[in-house]
Amino acid sequence: MQLYNTLSAKERAALIEEAGKERLTISFYQYAHIVNTSIFRNHLFIHWDALEVLGRIYVAHEGINAQLSVPAENFEAFKAHLDSISFLKGVRLNIAVEQDNMSFLKLKVKVRHKIVADGLNDASFDVTNKGVHANAMEFNALIEDPDTVLVDMRNHYESEIGHFENAITPDVDTFRDSLDIIEKDLADHKEDKKLVMYCTGGIRCEKASAYYKHKGFKQVYQLEGGIIEYAKQVESQKLENKFKGKNFVFDSRLGERISDDVIASCHQCGQPCDEHVNCVNDACHLLFIQCEVCSEKMNYCCSDNCKEVHELTFEEQKALRRGKTVSNKIFKKGRSEVLKFKK
Ligand SMILES: [Zn+2]
Ligand SMILES: [Zn+2]
């Protein structure tokens, strides 16, 4: 995946040239105060539909979160439209030139309560009053500072396979839990310590930094663009890479390798491994770490029970599920009593 920060006119021209008749897959987010979300939603839909934009866009009072694709030839017009909206002018776009032109089939712009499900009460603080953005070089310097407390704002199954050296990695299932734990742990250091945060692509830190400022932390920093942008800058600027292992991502790959270190272990045998899989039993789909040897042995399942079910015929499986509510393990990412080696 190629990621671009703010593109110069020349870089944009090269990008469009390279893509030819292809579509460009783009993601971006911005926290802002959007008063009339329906009007804003309709405004986007009318303009973007005309530019043949496809994708899934969430609009809320707190901002916008967009995953979309646009024909390369319409990119300039799309960019011009973004720049015509005050809070989206110059917004950082993550652009992937993909062979797959089928990433989105429709344009869906939805009004939502939140752009990220975070369990926070909006009215209590200003989400646009965010922390200081640090690029990769500034971030490396910040985390060397003895007065810095570095916090990973992601969930346990994400930091398990990769994180920055010396980061606090809360053992949490949700963003909301993380916020409370960190606040409690650092309650005595609201003024003297630099609170430095990071997440996958920046969207969670953007909110967390505003939250902590609201809670009285004086020096709040965040890694701009998250681990994704950090990895790109480390490579292009030949910086020291302080991230160890893999960056968990939410598409079918489940992780992008950032360094050669394997910091996790197979949840079934304990051998070094950082490959996330989903249990293939359709009634389970538990997310966990499984090495190749265990995949073979367990037929890609998380447990003997799932293996037995998975090896039944489709009709037998259906009969087994009849009358039962679907297992909720799908939501228990990486946690189950069957995983012996999950720390
Ligand atoms: Zn194993
Ligand atoms: Zn299973």
Side-chain angles (χ1 to χ4, degrees), residues 140-194:
N140 276 355
L142 267 173
I143 65 182
E144 290 289 318
D145 187 331
D147 284 330
T148 288
V149 180
L150 179 62
V151 181
D152 190 318
M153 291 310 299
R154 302 170 304 154
N155 298 332
H156 70 98
Y157 54 87
E158 299 171 278
S159 52
E160 185 175 6
I161 59 167
H163 55 78
F164 281 100
E165 291 164 33
N166 305 322
I168 298 172
T169 56
D171 183 26
V172 294
D173 294 301
T174 69
F175 177 68
R176 185 75 192 87
D177 291 345
S178 233
L179 288 176
D180 289 342
I181 289 172
I182 299 301
E183 195 196 346
K184 207 165 139 254
D185 286 359
L186 301 179
D188 296 335
H189 298 287
K190 288 188 177 182
E191 306 211 347
D192 62 332
K193 292 283 184 192
K194 293 189 174 99

Side-chain angles (χ1 to χ4, degrees), residues 24-300:
L24 299 171
T25 302
I26 300 172
S27 64
F28 69 89
Y29 66 85
Q30 184 72 284
Y31 285 103
H33 297 295
I34 300 171
V35 178
N36 195 321
T37 48
S38 298
I39 289 180
F40 182 62
R41 180 255 163 225
N42 293 344
H43 173 79
L44 293 183
F45 190 90
I46 290 164
H47 283 84
W48 292 2
D49 190 45
L51 294 172
E52 296 168 64
V53 172
L54 301 174
R56 191 177 56 237
I57 296 97
Y58 297 130
V59 170
H61 289 305
E62 68 175 14
I64 176 170
N65 189 7
Q67 256 103 41
L68 53 85
S69 78
V70 58
E73 58 195 10
N74 291 346
F75 180 75
E76 285 295 332
F78 175 74
K79 180 82 178 78
H81 181 249
L82 287 181
D83 286 343
S84 74
I85 300 166
S86 61
F87 60 85
L88 294 179
K89 191 171 168 59
V91 68
R92 190 172 50 78
L93 301 177
N94 288 335
I95 305 178
V97 183
E98 293 188 337
Q99 303 303 317
D100 176 16
N101 280 335
M102 303 295 282
S103 46
F104 300 103
L105 302 173
K106 281 186 184 178
L107 175 60
K108 290 184 190 166
V109 187
K110 293 185 172 174
V111 173
R112 281 276 174 101
H113 183 54
K114 293 286 185 83
I115 58 168
V116 177
D118 54 30
L120 287 169
N121 177 10
D122 253 358
S124 68
F125 70 103
D126 179 0
V127 287
T128 65
N129 182 18
K130 55 202 176 193
V132 178
H133 280 193
N135 62 28
M137 193 191 288
E138 293 160 344
F139 183 82
N140 276 355
L142 267 173
I143 65 182
E144 290 289 318
D145 187 331
D147 284 330
T148 288
V149 180
L150 179 62
V151 181
D152 190 318
M153 291 310 299
R154 302 170 304 154
N155 298 332
H156 70 98
Y157 54 87
E158 299 171 278
S159 52
E160 185 175 6
I161 59 167
H163 55 78
F164 281 100
E165 291 164 33
N166 305 322
I168 298 172
T169 56
D171 183 26
V172 294
D173 294 301
T174 69
F175 177 68
R176 185 75 192 87
D177 291 345
S178 233
L179 288 176
D180 289 342
I181 289 172
I182 299 301
E183 195 196 346
K184 207 165 139 254
D185 286 359
L186 301 179
D188 296 335
H189 298 287
K190 288 188 177 182
E191 306 211 347
D192 62 332
K193 292 283 184 192
K194 293 189 174 99
L195 176 54
V196 181
M197 295 175 274
Y198 67 92
C199 62
T200 314
I203 192 166
R204 284 178 275 186
C205 288
E206 199 92 8
K207 177 159 278 186
S209 68
Y211 179 80
Y212 288 126
K213 282 178 81 174
H214 166 71
K215 290 287 181 179
F217 286 86
K218 297 290 181 247
Q219 308 177 72
V220 182
Y221 297 82
Q222 65 195 98
L223 178 57
E224 194 200 357
I227 301 158
I228 295 174
E229 179 66 20
Y230 176 86
K232 187 205 145 219
Q233 289 181 14
V234 160
E235 197 176 303
S236 67
Q237 298 168 29
K238 304 273 174 281
L239 305 175
E240 186 194 347
N241 173 27
K242 291 176 179 285
F243 189 92
K244 297 280 169 264
K246 275 165 104 177
N247 181 25
F248 188 94
V249 293
F250 294 88
D251 60 39
S252 53
R253 295 167 302 155
L254 295 177
E256 264 180 349
R257 183 158 297 290
I258 312 285
S259 87
D260 292 334
D261 312 76
V262 175
I263 66 164
S265 4
C266 171
H267 287 164
Q268 291 175 322
C269 72
Q271 288 302 304
C273 177
D274 56 9
E275 285 291 315
H276 269 114
V277 296
N278 286 105
C279 175
V280 291
N281 174 12
D282 284 331
C284 178
H285 287 180
L286 178 70
L287 176 78
F288 70 110
I289 298 172
Q290 188 177 48
C291 73
E292 276 178 35
V293 177
C294 291
S295 296
E296 285 274 309
K297 201 173 100 193
M298 297 299 292
N299 203 3
Y300 304 93

Side-chain angles (χ1 to χ4, degrees), residues 279-281 283-286 288 301-303 305-307 329 338:
C279 175
V280 291
N281 174 12
C284 178
H285 287 180
L286 178 70
F288 70 110
C301 289
C302 76
S303 60
N305 186 38
C306 282
K307 184 167 177 274
K329 279 185 184 165
V338 301

